[in-house]
C-alpha cells in the first residue's frame, strides 16, 4: 500500500487505506461470531469501517482454504454485491466455482506442475519408494491424482498413503495407525501436502517430536523456520520445500528497517510482535512500543534478524493489493474518457463495474512478475527448491538448492546446485 500510494501513475489523487479488525487477528470461532453478528448489523463489516453505504469492501482471507470457504459462503448469502474476497494460500479448486463463490478471487496459481516437480527431484536422487501424507479433502485428493499419474510414468512407487481426516475425532481414532505406517516403512522420503493449520499438521509435529528421521518433501507453507518451536539437531534429516518462484521485493527490507512504528497511530501496527522486537535493553519482554525512544527504527529494535524474503502467502497478499489498485485504476480511467451511465443497479453500481474489471486484470508488478486474474489462462508456474534445517533456540538454515521450470523439455526441467546441497547438508 505504501508503494501504491507513492506511485503517481497508479490511482493518482487517491490513497488506499487499511483498517485492522478490533481485537487483532481472529480465530475461526471468533470470525464466525463476527460474521454472524454482521447479519443483524449490516454496518459491522469484518475488517472494514464503512462510512458510506455505497463503499465496496475488500477482504483478504487465508491461508487456510476452509476459512476462505466459510467467509465466501457467508458473503455470497448476504453481501456479495459489495464485497471482493481475495484469498492467499494454496490454490483450491473448490474456491474457483463461480456459481458458489461469485465474489472470490484466488491469488495463488494452480499447482498443476507441483507433482511433476517433486517426481523429477525423486528421479534425480534415485528415490523410488516414497511415503505420502495428505489431508483427506478435495485439495489433497486432486494432488494425489497428479502425483500418482507422474509416479506411474516413472516407476516410482508408494510405500504408503496416509490420508489424514480433517475432523479431529476421526483423526484421533486412527492417529496410531498413521504413526505405525511411517515407523514400520523402510522409506526414508515422505511427501507432505495439505493445510498447515490442520490435523495433518498435528501428525507432522508429532512425528518430528518423536525423533522420526525422514527427508520431508513438501511446499513452502510448511517452512518451519517461521514456527516458534525448537527442534533438536538430529530429530529429522531435513525438509525439501517447493516454493513458487518470484522475484525478490528488495524495497521491503529497506521499508521495514527504516519504519518507525511511533509515526503510526494505529495500535495494532505499533505492536508488531511477529518481528520479535524489544523496547528497552532492560526489559526484553515488553510487547508494545510505548517505552521506545522516539527516533527508534525497527532495525534498532530487532532482537534477532529475521527472514526478509516474502513467503508464497505474503507474495499473494502483495499481488492482491496491486490487483485491486490496478482494477480500480482502470475503472476510474474509463470513467474519465466515457460519460458514466447508471446501469440501474443503485448505489452498488460501482462495485459491479469493479468486478468486471477485476476479472480481466493483467499487469506486471514492480518486481517484474506477471499477474493475470483470468484463471483460464494459467501461466506455467516455476518453483524454487529449498533445503531447510532447524536447530534449537530458533536458529534456522534455509538454502536454495535448485529450480524447476516446465518451460524446458522433459529431462531438463530440474536444475540443482550441487555445491549448495553440499553446503546445506554436509555431504552430496
Amino acid at each position: 500500500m505504501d508503494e501504491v500510494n507513492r506511485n503517481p501513475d497508479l490511482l493518482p489523487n487517491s490513497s488506499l487505506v487499511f483498517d485492522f479488525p478490533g481485537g487483532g487477528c481472529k480465530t475461526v470461532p471468533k470470525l464466525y461470531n463476527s460474521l454472524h453478528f454482521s447479519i443483524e448489523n449490516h454496518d459491522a463489516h469484518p475488517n472494514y469501517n464503512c462510512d458510506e453505504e455505497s463503499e465496496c469492501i475488500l477482504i483478504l482471507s487465508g491461508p487456510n482454504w476452509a476459512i476462505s470457504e466459510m467467509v465466501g459462503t457467508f458473503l455470497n448469502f448476504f453481501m456479495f454485491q459489495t464485497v471482493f474476497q481475495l484469498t492467499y494460500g494454496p490454490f483450491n479448486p473448490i474456491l474457483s466455482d463461480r456459481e458458489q463463490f461469485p465474489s472470490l478471487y484466488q491469488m495463488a496459481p494452480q499447482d498443476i506442475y507441483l507433482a511433476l516437480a517433486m517426481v523429477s527431484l525423486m528421479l534425480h536422487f534415485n528415490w523410488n519408494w516414497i511415503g505420502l501424507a495428505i489431508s483427506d479433502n478435495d485439495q489433497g485428493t486432486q494432488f494425489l491424482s497428479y502425483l500418482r499419474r507422474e509416479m506411474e510414468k516413472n516407476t516410482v512407487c508408494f510405500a504408503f498413503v496416509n490420508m489424514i481426516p480433517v475432523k479431529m475425532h476421526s483423526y484421533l481414532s486412527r492417529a496410531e495407525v498413521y504413526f505405525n505406517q511411517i515407523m514400520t516403512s523402510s522409506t526414508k522420503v515422505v511427501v507432505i501436502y495439505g493445510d498447515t493449520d490442520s490435523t495433518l499438521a498435528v501428525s507432522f509435529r508429532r512425528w518430528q517430536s518423536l525423533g522420526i528421521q525422514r527427508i520431508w518433501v513438501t511446499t513452502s507453507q510448511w517452512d518451519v523456520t517461521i514456527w516458534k518451536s525448537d527442534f533438536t539437531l538430529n530429530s529429522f534429516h531435513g525438509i525439501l520445500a517447493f516454493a513458487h518462484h518470484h522475484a525478490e521485493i528488495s524495497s521491503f527490507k529497506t521499508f521495514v528497517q527504516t519504519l518507525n512504528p511511533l509515526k503510526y497511530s494505529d495500535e495494532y501496527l505499533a505492536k508488531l510482535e511477529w518481528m520479535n522486537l524489544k523496547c528497552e535493553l532492560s526489559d526484553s519482554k515488553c510487547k508494545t512500543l510505548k517505552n521506545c525512544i522516539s527516533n527508534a527504527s525497527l532495525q534498532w529494535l530487532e532482537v534477532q534478524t529475521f527472514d526478509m524474503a516474502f513467503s508464497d502467502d505474503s507474495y499473494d497478499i502483495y499481488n492482491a493489493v496491486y490487483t485491486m489498485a490496478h482494477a480500480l485504476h482502470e475503472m476510474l480511467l474509463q470513467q474519465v474518457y466515457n460519460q458514466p451511465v447508471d446501469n440501474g443497479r443503485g448505489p452498488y453500481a460501482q462495485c459491479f463495474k469493479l468486478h468486471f474489471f477485476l476479472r480481466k486484470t493483467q499487469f506486471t508488478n514492480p518486481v517484474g512478475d506477471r499477474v493475470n486474474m483470468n484463471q483460464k489462462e494459467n501461466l506455467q508456474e516455476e518453483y524454487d527448491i529449498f533445503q531447510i534445517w532447524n536447530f534449537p533456540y530458533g536458529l534456522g538454515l534455509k538454502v536454495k538448492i535448485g529450480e524447476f521450470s516446465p518451460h524446458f523439455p522433459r529431462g531438463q526441467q530440474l536444475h540443482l546446485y550441487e555445491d549448495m546441497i553440499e553446503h546445506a547438508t554436509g555431504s552430496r
Side-chain angles (χ1 to χ4, degrees):
M1 287 174 53
D2 183 71
E3 286 183 349
V4 170
N5 291 337
R6 286 189 288 106
N7 187 345
D9 299 321
L10 186 60
L11 290 178
N13 301 323
S14 300
S15 294
L16 297 179
V17 295
F18 184 83
D19 184 55
F20 285 80
C25 294
K26 292 184 173 11
T27 60
V28 173
K30 288 182 179 179
L31 180 62
Y32 178 80
N33 290 335
S34 174
L35 295 175
H36 180 73
F37 175 75
S38 65
I39 297 175
E40 302 174 357
N41 301 271
H42 296 289
D43 58 336
H45 299 307
N47 232 28
Y48 200 89
N49 287 333
C50 193
D51 298 325
E52 303 265 344
E53 287 189 0
S54 60
E55 292 283 355
C56 306
I57 304 164
L58 167 63
I59 292 179
L60 297 171
S61 65
N64 189 319
W65 73 269
I67 293 177
S68 295
E69 182 183 33
M70 181 181 67
V71 174
T73 300
F74 169 83
L75 297 178
N76 189 26
F77 280 129
F78 298 101
M79 304 155 60
F80 74 92
Q81 299 98 331
T82 61
V83 175
F84 300 82
Q85 181 187 0
L86 274 64
T87 69
Y88 57 97
F91 183 92
N92 190 288
I94 292 179
L95 301 181
S96 61
D97 186 340
R98 272 278 168 252
E99 291 186 5
Q100 188 175 359
F101 304 105
S103 303
L104 188 149
Y105 303 85
Q106 297 190 75
M107 297 307 304
Q110 298 188 46
D111 281 320
I112 296 175
Y113 295 95
L114 177 62
L116 175 60
M118 288 185 173
V119 172
S120 298
L121 184 74
M122 297 171 191
L123 295 175
H124 177 86
F125 290 115
N126 295 318
W127 298 335
N128 57 7
W129 190 236
I130 307 299
L132 175 66
I134 59 174
S135 297
D136 189 4
N137 53 29
D138 290 335
Q139 190 177 14
T141 302
Q142 185 178 70
F143 174 74
L144 173 59
S145 175
Y146 289 147
L147 188 63
R148 190 188 301 276
R149 182 181 61 195
E150 295 299 332
M151 290 175 64
E152 288 176 351
K153 290 179 183 177
N154 297 279
T155 322
V156 179
C157 301
F158 284 120
F160 60 84
V161 176
N162 279 348
M163 299 189 69
I164 310 297
V166 175
K167 300 294 184 181
M168 180 60 74
H169 68 275
S170 300
Y171 161 72
L172 291 175
S173 66
R174 291 185 54 82
E176 204 62 30
V177 175
Y178 306 132
F179 173 75
N180 290 334
Q181 280 184 314
I182 286 190
M183 287 299 295
T184 58
S185 174
S186 59
T187 182
K188 298 301 181 184
V189 181
V190 179
V191 176
I192 303 289
Y193 184 84
D195 285 326
T196 55
D197 182 16
S198 64
T199 50
L200 177 59
V202 175
S203 283
F204 187 41
R205 293 177 184 179
R206 184 192 178 205
W207 298 336
Q208 289 182 322
S209 66
L210 294 175
I212 299 179
Q213 294 190 357
R214 298 292 184 272
I215 296 175
W216 308 102
V217 180
T218 185
T219 58
S220 62
Q221 282 75 26
W222 294 81
D223 177 355
V224 295
T225 58
I226 62 174
W227 294 358
K228 294 181 179 179
S229 302
D230 291 338
F231 298 94
T232 59
L233 177 60
N234 296 319
S235 63
F236 57 102
H237 291 348
I239 291 178
L240 294 174
F242 285 76
H244 288 288
H245 175 77
H246 52 74
E248 180 183 355
I249 304 176
S250 58
S251 57
F252 175 68
K253 184 175 183 178
T254 302
F255 173 77
V256 172
Q257 289 180 334
T258 59
L259 177 66
N260 181 355
L262 298 181
K263 293 193 307 182
Y264 295 83
S265 58
D266 195 291
E267 59 179 310
Y268 301 109
L269 179 61
K271 289 181 180 178
L272 291 173
E273 295 178 25
W274 55 273
M275 287 187 177
N276 296 318
L277 304 180
K278 61 181 179 181
C279 296
E280 292 181 344
L281 295 177
S282 60
D283 184 13
S284 61
K285 294 183 179 180
C286 178
K287 290 187 176 180
T288 65
L289 301 180
K290 296 177 181 178
N291 301 322
C292 295
I293 58 177
S294 60
N295 62 347
S297 68
L298 291 187
Q299 189 174 23
W300 181 84
L301 291 168
E302 292 174 33
V303 175
Q304 61 187 29
T305 59
F306 53 91
D307 192 0
M308 290 283 187
F310 268 35
S311 66
D312 281 356
D313 293 346
S314 299
Y315 193 66
D316 289 345
I317 296 173
Y318 180 79
N319 282 334
V321 175
Y322 265 102
T323 297
M324 283 301 298
H326 277 276
L328 184 59
H329 182 89
E330 287 299 316
M331 186 183 75
L332 297 177
L333 197 63
Q334 188 185 76
Q335 291 177 353
V336 171
Y337 294 104
N338 301 284
Q339 185 69 26
V341 178
D342 186 3
N343 60 7
R345 295 187 183 274
Y348 302 125
Q350 293 292 90
C351 299
F352 279 98
K353 290 181 182 178
L354 190 53
H355 274 292
F356 170 78
F357 283 95
L358 183 62
R359 290 191 184 103
K360 64 176 187 177
T361 295
Q362 299 183 40
F363 63 95
T364 301
N365 69 14
V367 296
D369 290 341
R370 190 70 181 164
V371 179
N372 185 356
M373 294 305 294
N374 186 347
Q375 294 181 354
K376 294 182 180 179
E377 300 177 6
N378 289 314
L379 300 176
Q380 289 188 329
E381 66 266 24
E382 298 180 345
Y383 294 94
D384 292 331
I385 307 170
F386 294 91
Q387 169 79 19
I388 301 170
W389 285 88
N390 285 271
F391 306 104
Y393 311 110
L395 301 177
L397 175 65
K398 180 178 179 180
V399 180
K400 181 178 175 180
I401 63 168
E403 301 171 347
F404 177 87
S405 174
H407 299 294
F408 295 104
R410 288 253 179 174
Q412 303 176 28
Q413 297 168 326
L414 180 70
H415 179 68
L416 295 181
Y417 315 139
E418 297 292 346
D419 55 334
M420 297 308 295
I421 296 175
E422 184 173 14
H423 171 68
T425 64
S427 68
R428 293 183 182 270

